[in-house]
Amino acid sequence: MLIPSNTVFIQYYHGTSDYAWATPVMSTYEIISEMKEAGNNGEEAVSAVEVASSQVKAQSGWDNVKAAYRFNRKTGEISREVYELFLMFILGSAAGGLYGGMPASRFARNRYIQTSNAAIYSSKMEALGTSYNAGTRGFIRYGLRWGWRTGFLAIGFHGLSSFLAVYRDKTDLLNYTAASVCTGALYRVNLGVRGVVGGGVVGAMLGVPAGCCLLAMQKLYGQTMLEVNKKKRLEDLQEKKKDMLEREHAFKTLIGNLNASVSSTKSENGPVR
């Protein structure tokens, strides 16, 4: 069976790692027919078509974005893309805080020792504690200053590149280049037009090599992050469908047992006079 170029990836449980493909313009009957021609059981593929129907309907870029960036208010569950945004901001802020805070702490402590020669302390522990307090203040001050900047750059670069990949349904160097240019321009927007242009150029100079490295790493891994997240969403849909079927089966079993119990009670008591 030839696989069209505009296909939607569908995985179904068949006891093996078999896969099927379906174009958005194909009907359910055509999907099952092609799967039969490929040697698969059409009845076993019905569940896969039902589970992936929402993915088939999502044809536009905004539909893909809505499916990827979601938040369930009832359960508090967030999608993997939203989780990655928070994670990148935390990691970027932590890295920037350490990068800016450690040298600042050492410099502030040494500076305090040099400028406090005439100070009088009651003990050696008090002198050490005062110098370390100065280092802690320097760490907090410059750690926060560097942390929010690197956190902004991390969430901007990763968020924009992921958004473009989901919207375009494609992972390539263009996503990383556009994300780095936009992030650098936004970072220097307070400096006017020259700052925006300079930030965009610097962002491109840093983002293009970073994008090449990320693409190479994903190629070595065998899957892009977009494909991994798609597979995760599909597995979640299949798991939810399986859970719903199990609950429906348990409910029907309970109703059947109750009906049988009522019928047996009526037969034991005899007809009501």
Side-chain angles (χ1 to χ4, degrees):
M1 179 179 63
L2 296 177
I3 302 171
S5 58
N6 56 340
T7 57
V8 177
F9 180 78
I10 302 174
Q11 180 182 6
Y12 64 96
Y13 293 107
H14 189 258
T16 60
S17 58
D18 296 335
Y19 297 92
W21 291 264
T23 57
V25 296
M26 294 170 63
S27 64
T28 304
Y29 175 78
E30 292 172 339
I31 296 171
I32 298 174
S33 300
E34 290 201 11
M35 298 175 87
K36 284 182 177 180
E37 293 175 3
N40 298 320
N41 191 345
E43 295 179 356
E44 296 179 357
V46 173
S47 60
V49 176
E50 292 176 352
V51 171
S53 59
S54 60
Q55 301 293 331
V56 173
K57 293 178 182 178
Q59 300 179 16
S60 66
W62 286 114
D63 291 333
N64 295 335
V65 172
K66 292 178 182 178
Y69 295 90
R70 65 186 187 280
F71 171 72
N72 193 334
R73 294 183 179 179
K74 295 182 179 180
T75 61
E77 181 183 0
I78 60 176
S79 63
R80 187 179 179 88
E81 286 79 3
V82 178
Y83 168 77
E84 289 177 355
L85 289 178
F86 289 105
L87 180 62
M88 292 303 298
F89 179 77
I90 294 173
L91 293 178
S93 300
L98 292 175
Y99 178 80
M102 295 297 289
S105 175
R106 186 167 52 251
F107 175 80
R109 182 171 178 271
N110 294 333
R111 180 69 176 173
Y112 179 82
I113 293 174
Q114 293 174 1
T115 57
S116 62
N117 293 328
I120 300 175
Y121 303 99
S122 60
S123 64
K124 183 178 180 180
M125 294 299 297
E126 182 183 359
L128 289 175
T130 307
S131 64
Y132 280 115
N133 289 338
T136 302
R137 290 193 297 269
F139 180 87
I140 294 174
R141 179 181 179 183
Y142 288 93
L144 291 176
R145 183 177 297 181
W146 277 88
W148 78 262
R149 286 181 169 87
T150 54
F152 172 80
L153 294 175
I155 194 175
F157 178 74
H158 178 77
L160 289 174
S161 60
S162 299
F163 175 84
L164 291 174
V166 172
Y167 183 82
R168 299 175 63 227
D169 198 18
K170 184 180 181 181
T171 301
D172 54 12
L173 187 59
L174 178 61
N175 297 336
Y176 297 108
T177 304
S180 60
V181 171
C182 293
T183 303
L186 289 174
Y187 181 73
R188 291 297 184 181
V189 69
N190 61 320
L191 300 179
V193 178
R194 291 185 178 180
V196 170
V197 175
V201 172
V202 174
M205 293 173 62
L206 297 176
V208 171
C212 293
C213 294
L214 292 173
L215 289 175
M217 292 173 60
Q218 294 179 63
K219 188 174 182 180
L220 291 175
Y221 180 71
Q223 283 183 320
T224 63
M225 292 303 300
L226 179 64
E227 294 171 350
V228 172
N229 293 340
K230 277 186 176 181
K231 188 176 180 180
K232 177 64 177 176
R233 286 198 298 271
L234 183 56
E235 290 176 353
D236 292 341
L237 288 173
Q238 291 173 336
E239 189 67 25
K240 290 180 181 178
K241 180 177 175 61
K242 184 179 179 181
D243 182 62
M244 291 177 61
L245 292 176
E246 290 177 354
R247 292 185 180 184
E248 183 180 359
H249 177 71
F251 180 75
K252 290 181 179 180
T253 303
L254 178 62
I255 294 299
N257 293 337
L258 290 175
N259 292 334
S261 178
V262 172
S263 300
S264 62
T265 304
K266 287 183 178 180
S267 61
E268 292 177 357
N269 296 335
V272 180
R273 295 181 181 179

